[in-house]
Amino acid sequence: MSNDELDIEFQDAVNRVNAHTEPFPADVLLKLYAYYKRATNDYGKPRSKKPIINAFKTNALFQTENITEDEAKQEYINLVTNYFLYRK
């Protein structure tokens, strides 16, 4: 898959997540968060008002520290695809 194709699929997956109106399970949400942050090269601190949520987000980011941006995009796409596939 070319970089352009990966970027298009990633953006489609992001749009699908953003359009989803039901809450995601916490474990899925944390993975989505971490893969998105890694894929977009956004390493800013988590900004929740609750310290425990920031701790979970930081831990999720640490778990993705050894993957590339492209790998994170692919993992995000896979997670979204599998989540919606098994929800039917």
Side-chain angles (χ1 to χ4, degrees), residues 44-70:
K45 288 183 177 182
R47 295 181 294 251
S48 175
K49 293 180 181 179
K50 297 182 180 180
I52 190 71
I53 293 175
N54 287 333
F56 279 112
K57 287 180 173 181
T58 299
N59 183 46
L61 286 171
F62 280 129
Q63 292 179 29
T64 64
E65 71 182 341
N66 292 321
I67 64 174
T68 67
E69 290 176 30
D70 285 347

Side-chain angles (χ1 to χ4, degrees), residues 1-83:
M1 177 181 308
S2 73
N3 281 344
D4 288 342
E5 291 170 326
L6 181 62
D7 289 342
I8 290 168
E9 278 195 46
F10 175 69
Q11 192 56 55
D12 287 346
V14 170
N15 292 341
R16 191 169 187 190
V17 167
N18 288 337
H20 188 63
T21 57
E22 297 175 25
F24 287 95
D27 61 327
V28 172
L29 200 55
L30 282 170
K31 288 177 184 176
L32 288 170
Y33 171 83
Y35 290 138
Y36 180 84
K37 292 292 229 174
R38 187 72 55 202
T40 59
N41 202 22
D42 178 359
Y43 301 115
K45 288 183 177 182
R47 295 181 294 251
S48 175
K49 293 180 181 179
K50 297 182 180 180
I52 190 71
I53 293 175
N54 287 333
F56 279 112
K57 287 180 173 181
T58 299
N59 183 46
L61 286 171
F62 280 129
Q63 292 179 29
T64 64
E65 71 182 341
N66 292 321
I67 64 174
T68 67
E69 290 176 30
D70 285 347
E71 290 169 330
K73 287 177 184 177
Q74 188 61 59
E75 289 299 326
Y76 188 98
I77 292 164
N78 294 345
L79 182 60
V80 170
T81 300
N82 289 331
Y83 177 79

